[in-house]
Amino acid sequence: MLTTATQPTPSQPRVVVLIPCYNEEITIGTVVRDFKEALPDAEIYVYDNNSTDKTIDVARKTGAIVRSEKLQGKGHVIRRMFADIDADYYILVDGDATYEAASAPKMLQKAMREGLDMVNGARVTDRKAAYRSGHVWGNKILTAMVTTIFGRRLSDMLSGYRVFSNRFVKSFPALAGGFETETEFTVYALELGMPIGEVPTRYIERPPGSVSKLRTYTDGIIILKTIVNLCKQERPLIFFSLLALIFALIGLVFGAPIIYTYFKTGFVLRLPSALLATGFEIMAALSMTCALILDSVALARQEQKRTRYLSLPGPAWMDK
């Protein structure tokens, strides 16, 4: 366990808690106090994202280090936090008081004992107000899509509660602008085959007066688009081969009767349909060509990311 010293010793890793915030005046005080109690050695940073309430004042009064990011969106805030702060381990959590601070030491200890680059806080709850059924099913569907493509190693892809190593944070490209950043975390870790883990953590509803920033359908569509885009970039062979198969099947539907008629009569009776079928088959061939070329490009990009990731010192294993 971490000692209660106020400054890290040479053998004690530096741990920071990162809290992105937008209009969380009601909850941010509770979050900061809970994490100060759970991790007395950790520095707590609150990054405000253009709040119009008293989020900044409350965070400062409760002892957090407060900074600001003007670009609106959670992804922009995380990019700024990861760029600004140097630490051995980073604990990322939302400022809405829905995640259990008591799970942080467990997640941190798991990362240290097993030398993990990311530990995911998998949400567990029986409260419908905390985790609405639509969000549950949406998360399951999106998680299933990502893990099917990139590897089945996590059960809650969209959790906002995670522990990261310095190696993860300083090699992570952070391209997303909004809530889709959690998808980026997951795909990045799975794509590079990082050592990762997961710890169940209690998930509760927001307190009265606190309003969620999530937009169920809009954010769901954005996340789905992000998954499709990441699949196109990181798994182009799968993406464009699927397109090629679709085009080939459509071309076959239009072309099969024409081919049958031609072999039977020696005539092409429906020239427009024949041209349409030919067009789809050409598109299928082009898609397959793109798949093969872009797969080589994606492999080169993955090798570069892996090289950058390996150039940074990994998390030290802590003796059990």
Side-chain angles (χ1 to χ4, degrees):
M1 294 293 291
L2 298 175
T3 68
T4 57
T6 57
Q7 295 296 328
T9 64
S11 62
Q12 177 184 349
R14 183 188 177 203
V15 179
V16 297
V17 178
L18 305 179
I19 310 174
C21 269
Y22 173 64
N23 288 343
E24 299 291 5
E25 172 189 353
I26 295 174
T27 58
I28 188 60
T30 300
V31 175
V32 173
R33 283 190 294 268
D34 288 350
F35 274 89
K36 285 175 75 71
E37 181 180 350
L39 296 168
D41 296 325
E43 296 176 23
I44 300 178
Y45 288 83
V46 171
Y47 270 66
D48 181 72
N49 196 205
N50 304 313
S51 295
T52 56
D53 60 6
K54 297 181 180 179
T55 296
I56 291 177
D57 295 335
V58 175
R60 283 192 177 130
K61 286 179 181 178
T62 50
I65 302 169
V66 179
R67 295 178 179 175
S68 298
E69 171 53 50
K70 298 302 180 183
L71 286 174
Q72 194 67 42
K74 185 176 181 180
H76 295 302
V77 180
I78 288 172
R79 184 186 306 121
R80 180 68 179 273
M81 292 190 297
F82 283 7
D84 287 355
I85 301 170
D86 287 316
D88 295 300
Y89 288 96
Y90 303 74
I91 299 173
L92 179 66
V93 67
D94 293 338
D96 55 9
T98 56
Y99 292 99
E100 185 180 35
S103 296
K106 301 175 188 175
M107 296 167 65
L108 184 58
Q109 290 298 316
K110 183 176 180 66
M112 291 179 177
R113 285 176 177 161
E114 300 179 24
L116 304 179
D117 283 305
M118 183 179 78
V119 176
N120 189 52
R123 293 168 288 182
V124 177
T125 187
D126 56 359
R127 305 185 188 187
K128 291 185 178 180
Y131 206 7
R132 288 174 287 178
S133 58
H135 289 177
V136 173
W137 283 106
N139 186 22
K140 286 182 177 180
I141 292 170
L142 294 172
T143 299
M145 290 177 61
V146 168
T147 55
T148 297
I149 297 170
F150 295 97
R152 297 181 180 276
R153 299 172 63 197
L154 294 176
S155 64
D156 186 3
M157 180 191 75
L158 300 180
S159 173
Y161 194 12
R162 309 197 187 207
V163 173
F164 299 110
S165 70
N166 178 274
R167 180 167 63 177
F168 184 104
V169 166
K170 295 306 179 182
S171 66
F172 179 65
L175 301 177
F179 285 103
E180 66 273 22
T181 189
E182 281 92 1
T183 304
E184 272 196 329
F185 290 149
T186 303
V187 170
Y188 183 64
L190 295 177
E191 179 196 10
L192 293 188
M194 293 184 185
I196 61 176
E198 196 167 57
V199 172
T201 180
R202 192 165 65 98
Y203 190 64
I204 61 175
E205 68 272 15
R206 283 173 170 264
S210 177
V211 180
S212 174
K213 315 304 184 299
L214 288 173
R215 301 162 296 174
T216 302
Y217 298 106
T218 302
D219 289 332
I221 291 172
I222 292 173
I223 292 169
L224 181 60
K225 287 171 62 179
T226 301
I227 293 172
V228 172
N229 192 43
L230 287 170
C231 181
K232 176 176 66 70
Q233 292 177 355
E234 310 301 338
R235 295 290 189 271
L237 185 62
I238 296 175
F239 183 86
F240 287 99
S241 294
L242 182 60
L243 282 182
L245 178 62
I246 292 172
F247 289 142
L249 290 176
I250 294 174
L252 188 61
V253 168
F254 284 103
I258 297 169
I259 295 173
Y260 175 77
T261 303
Y262 174 78
F263 280 112
K264 189 175 182 180
T265 65
F267 296 99
V268 177
L269 300 180
R270 290 181 288 177
L271 185 59
S273 295
L275 291 175
L276 184 62
T278 302
F280 275 111
E281 295 303 332
I282 291 173
M283 291 172 65
L286 289 174
S287 294
M288 199 63 220
T289 302
C290 289
L292 296 173
I293 294 173
L294 292 178
D295 185 58
S296 297
V297 175
L299 179 60
R301 290 177 62 247
Q302 186 174 353
E303 288 173 348
Q304 290 177 346
K305 286 190 285 187
R306 182 75 182 174
T307 300
R308 168 58 182 162
Y309 163 75
L310 292 175
S311 69
L312 299 169
W317 288 64
M318 186 179 74
D319 293 334
K320 297 183 179 180

